[in-house]
Amino acid sequence: MAAQLDYHTIHQIFTRFRAAEAEPKGELDHVNAYTLVVAVALSAQATDVGVNKATKELFTIADTPQKMLDLGEEGLIDHIKTIGLYRNKAKNVIKMSKILVEDYGGEVPSSRAALESLPGVGRKTANVVLNMWFHLPAQAVDTHIFRFGNRSGVAVGKDVVAVERAIEDHIPAEFQKHAHHWMILHGRYVCKARKPLCATCLIRDLCAFEEKNFD
């Protein structure tokens, strides 16, 4: 775990991220708020590529809570059985869809508390939806962001909640909207777990990681 970087250095880091990609996008395919919630919930312990493959056809026939209920749990399983923990995830998606229909008129709520009350939706999923669909500066901390934040010194914390708070406290407001995507993409493709690509990293001179890899 590196020491927390100062405001000026973090501002430089995100200025470079913005210059490289001004409008970073999430990699989970979705067509509306509901399919985004479902996709993120399905992505736990699975890859975005795997989820996108499974939901490509699913979202053409079940893109609303009611249509998902009409499809049913077994019908849903037929589409997502290539994803890890698919049976439990299918149960949660059906339960979530039922609550959305009965309590929210089929609409996805824009409140973190309401989102987190849904089956299969934790803090990370709620924050992804708040950020990507409702355009709020919510920060969803996954393994990539947790690793990058601590390794680089951008957002240091012992757990995901601490890292989330560090992002909110230390990353300038002008970058908050896209901070989640810049960090997750950098962590996924450059600041990799086993062998970070420090030689081609655009922030290597600003990063606090002491064991940089230049192979």
Side-chain angles (χ1 to χ4, degrees):
M1 183 184 293
Q4 179 67 52
L5 293 173
D6 61 76
Y7 176 90
H8 177 69
T9 303
I10 292 174
H11 193 281
Q12 285 184 290
I13 286 172
F14 282 90
T15 296
R16 291 184 189 180
F17 283 157
R18 183 171 60 189
E21 189 170 8
E23 295 286 334
K25 304 294 182 185
E27 296 184 318
L28 282 172
D29 294 336
H30 59 282
V31 296
N32 54 29
Y34 172 69
T35 54
L36 176 59
V37 175
V38 172
V40 180
L42 293 177
S43 72
Q45 296 179 286
T47 65
D48 288 359
V49 172
V51 172
N52 288 341
K53 186 176 180 181
T55 59
K56 183 176 182 180
E57 183 181 345
L58 172 65
F59 289 161
T60 65
I61 60 174
D63 60 352
T64 70
Q66 186 58 58
K67 289 179 182 178
M68 191 67 76
L69 292 176
D70 293 341
L71 179 63
E73 189 174 320
E74 290 304 315
L76 172 56
I77 285 175
D78 285 341
H79 288 276
I80 67 170
K81 57 190 175 185
T82 55
I83 299 174
L85 307 175
Y86 66 90
R87 288 195 179 279
N88 190 53
K89 290 176 179 178
K91 281 185 173 65
N92 282 333
V93 168
I94 295 300
K95 288 179 183 176
M96 172 182 72
S97 301
K98 191 170 186 292
I99 291 171
L100 288 175
V101 169
E102 293 180 351
D103 298 346
Y104 297 96
E107 299 294 325
V108 174
S110 59
S111 142
R112 179 187 281 115
L115 285 167
E116 286 191 61
S117 73
L118 298 171
V121 177
R123 188 177 184 87
K124 186 188 103 171
T125 299
N127 282 344
V128 170
V129 174
L130 291 173
N131 181 287
M132 288 182 62
W133 191 260
F134 295 106
H135 308 297
L136 298 174
Q139 307 301 337
V141 178
D142 70 350
T143 54
H144 299 298
I145 292 177
F146 186 81
R147 178 179 64 253
F148 169 69
N150 279 295
R151 183 186 273 172
S152 66
V154 165
V156 176
K158 292 182 179 180
D159 55 46
V160 294
V161 175
V163 170
E164 181 183 323
R165 191 167 296 120
I167 294 171
E168 294 170 348
D169 290 346
H170 297 288
I171 295 176
E174 66 185 285
F175 302 117
Q176 286 283 331
K177 179 182 176 182
H178 294 309
H180 159 75
H181 285 125
W182 281 317
M183 294 176 75
I184 195 172
L185 293 172
H186 195 73
R188 180 177 290 162
Y189 297 112
V190 182
C191 196
K192 299 181 179 182
R194 293 186 180 180
K195 194 173 182 181
L197 307 180
C198 301
T200 57
C201 176
L202 79 167
I203 63 163
R204 61 184 177 274
D205 57 318
L206 302 172
C207 171
F209 185 44
E210 294 182 354
E211 301 173 23
K212 291 187 175 71
N213 168 50
F214 292 104
D215 293 340

